[in-house]
C-alpha cells in the first residue's frame, strides 16, 4: 500500500490495514461519507483541482478538500485496490427528466466491487459511491430493488450495460444512469474541464458542500444550509462569519484559502441567495 493510501485510511481513523471484506467496505464508505465532504469550493474560487488520482489522494491524506465525484470515487477506487478489492470502473450522468436522460454525457465517475458474496447478495457485486453528495451512506448490493438508508428511500434498476439509481424525492437530484465502461484519461480530463468551466460548467455555477450522516444529509448551497432527516433544518446564512463557520462544520478545510477570495465568494453567493429569496 502506498503512503498516500495509508494516509487516506488514517484520515478515516483506520490506522492499521484492514482486510478486504464486506464489513471493511461498509466501514470505509461510512467514514468517508461522514468525514470528507463533497464540494466545489476551489472550483468556485477559480482553481478547480485536477482529477488525477495521485494528487487527489495526497491532498485528501493530508487533510485537504477532495472535490466532486471524480475526486471522491477516484480516491476510493485507489484505496480499495490497494487493499486487494476487485474494483471495476464505471461512469454515468445525472438526470431529472426523460430529455435529460437521453442527453448522455460523462458527468459522474463510479465503480463497482466484485467477489464479495453474502446471504443477501449471493452475486457478490456491490456499488459503493462516495461522490453523490447527499446520496449513499453505505454501499448498495448491485441487485434491483428498493433500499432504505436513514431518511432516504432509494430504488435501483440493473440493466445489461449497467444500472440506474433513483434518489429519494427529498434528494438533490433525481437519478443517475451508470455504465460498466472504463473512461480513458482523455475522456476524464475533458469531462472535468467542461464540468468546471467558469463560463457555464455545471459545477461552477453555485457553491455546493454536502456530507452524508447516518440519519441525515447536510447541504450548503450558496448561502442556504439544509439538513434533511433527523433534526431537519433550513436556514439562510447571510453573515460572513456564520457562513464560514458552516463550511468548517461541514468538514471543509480553509487552509491556504485567501480570505479576500473567500469573502468575494460569499458576496457572490449572498447576491444569488437574495435573488432566489426575492423570486419565491
Amino acid at each position: 500500500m502506498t503512503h498516500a493510501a495509508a494516509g487516506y485510511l488514517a484520515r478515516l481513523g483506520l490506522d492499521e490495514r484492514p482486510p478486504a471484506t464486506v464489513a471493511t467496505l461498509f466501514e470505509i464508505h461510512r467514514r468517508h461519507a461522514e468525514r470528507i465532504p463533497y464540494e466545489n469550493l476551489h472550483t468556485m474560487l477559480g482553481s478547480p483541482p485536477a482529477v488525477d488520482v495521485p494528487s487527489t489522494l495526497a491532498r485528501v491524506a493530508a487533510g485537504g478538500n477532495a472535490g466532486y465525484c471524480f475526486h471522491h470515487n477516484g480516491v476510493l477506487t485507489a484505496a480499495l485496490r490497494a487493499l486487494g478489492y476487485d474494483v471495476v470502473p464505471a461512469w454515468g450522468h445525472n438526470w431529472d427528466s426523460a430529455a435529460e436522460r437521453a442527453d448522455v454525457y460523462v458527468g459522474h465517475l463510479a465503480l463497482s466491487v466484485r467477489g464479495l458474496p453474502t446471504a443477501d447478495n449471493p452475486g457478490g457485486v456491490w456499488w459503493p459511491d462516495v461522490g453523490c453528495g447527499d446520496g449513499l451512506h453505505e454501499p448498495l448490493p448491485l441487485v434491483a430493488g428498493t433500499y432504505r438508508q436513514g431518511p432516504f428511500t432509494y430504488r435501483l434498476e440493473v440493466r445489461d450495460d449497467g444500472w440506474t439509481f433513483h434518489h429519494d424525492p427529498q434528494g438533490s437530484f433525481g437519478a443517475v444512469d451508470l455504465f460498466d465502461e472504463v473512461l480513458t484519461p482523455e475522456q476524464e480530463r475533458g469531462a472535468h474541464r467542461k464540468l468546471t468551466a467558469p463560463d457555464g460548467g455545471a459545477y461552477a455555477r453555485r457553491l455546493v458542500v454536502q456530507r452524508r450522516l447516518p440519519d441525515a444529509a447536510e447541504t450548503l448551497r450558496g448561502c442556504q444550509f439544509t439538513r434533511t432527516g433527523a433534526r431537519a433544518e433550513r436556514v439562510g446564512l447571510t453573515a460572513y462569519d456564520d457562513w464560514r463557520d458552516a463550511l468548517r462544520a461541514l468538514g471543509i478545510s480553509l487552509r491556504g484559502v485567501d480570505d479576500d477570495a473567500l469573502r468575494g465568494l460569499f458576496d457572490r453567493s449572498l447576491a444569488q441567495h437574495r435573488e432566489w429569496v426575492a423570486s419565491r
Side-chain angles (χ1 to χ4, degrees):
M1 177 180 292
T2 66
H3 177 73
Y8 162 75
L9 293 177
R11 180 168 175 180
L12 301 184
L14 300 170
D15 295 321
E16 297 183 4
R17 178 180 178 133
T21 63
V22 173
T24 296
L25 178 64
F26 271 61
E27 189 65 22
I28 288 173
H29 197 288
R30 285 191 293 259
R31 292 182 183 221
H32 186 127
E34 294 170 16
R35 301 182 186 200
I36 306 177
Y38 172 102
E39 47 80 27
N40 66 343
L41 175 64
H42 288 280
T43 294
M44 295 300 298
L45 291 172
S47 56
V51 290
D52 68 286
V53 172
S55 65
T56 305
L57 192 57
R59 183 173 67 252
V60 170
N65 302 317
Y68 65 100
C69 59
F70 281 42
H71 305 93
H72 283 269
N73 285 334
V75 163
L76 183 62
T77 293
L80 293 179
R81 282 180 169 162
L83 290 173
Y85 286 94
D86 180 8
V87 180
V88 178
W91 65 273
H93 70 106
N94 292 7
W95 55 272
D96 290 298
S97 67
E100 290 178 351
R101 188 176 197 181
D103 181 20
V104 179
Y105 66 95
V106 178
H108 187 72
L109 184 69
L111 64 144
S112 63
V113 176
R114 305 188 180 184
L116 297 173
T118 65
D120 294 331
N121 184 14
V125 184
W126 298 87
W127 175 42
D129 199 310
V130 289
C132 280
D134 64 352
L136 302 185
H137 182 245
E138 297 178 337
L140 290 180
L142 210 48
V143 177
T146 300
Y147 301 91
R148 182 79 181 181
Q149 290 188 358
F152 297 136
T153 298
Y154 307 133
R155 182 165 60 89
L156 201 62
E157 298 176 27
V158 178
R159 313 183 316 272
D160 290 340
D161 62 343
W163 64 100
T164 299
F165 170 72
H166 295 270
H167 204 339
D168 190 280
Q170 302 176 90
S172 62
F173 61 92
V176 57
D177 282 341
L178 291 308
F179 302 92
D180 277 320
E181 295 176 0
V182 179
L183 289 177
T184 67
E186 292 75 18
Q187 287 175 312
E188 193 168 335
R189 288 193 296 268
H192 175 59
R193 286 194 298 271
K194 182 177 180 180
L195 292 168
T196 60
D199 56 349
Y203 297 159
R205 298 170 185 167
R206 189 182 301 269
L207 175 71
V208 178
V209 181
Q210 295 178 304
R211 68 171 175 174
R212 186 67 162 82
L213 302 173
D215 59 356
E218 295 181 334
T219 298
L220 178 63
R221 191 177 304 277
C223 289
Q224 182 78 19
F225 173 80
T226 304
R227 181 183 174 97
T228 304
R231 301 178 303 283
E233 183 181 4
R234 183 182 296 271
V235 59
L237 301 174
T238 58
Y240 175 69
D241 288 347
D242 293 340
W243 178 81
R244 184 184 55 195
D245 289 347
L247 287 174
R248 290 180 170 139
L250 285 166
I252 290 293
S253 170
L254 296 179
R255 185 179 61 213
V257 175
D258 179 78
D259 190 60
D260 288 340
L262 192 65
R263 284 181 180 273
L265 175 57
F266 170 74
D267 290 341
R268 297 193 301 274
S269 298
L270 183 59
Q272 290 178 323
H273 177 75
R274 286 173 172 162
E275 288 178 7
W276 173 73
V277 170
S279 69
R280 297 181 67 190

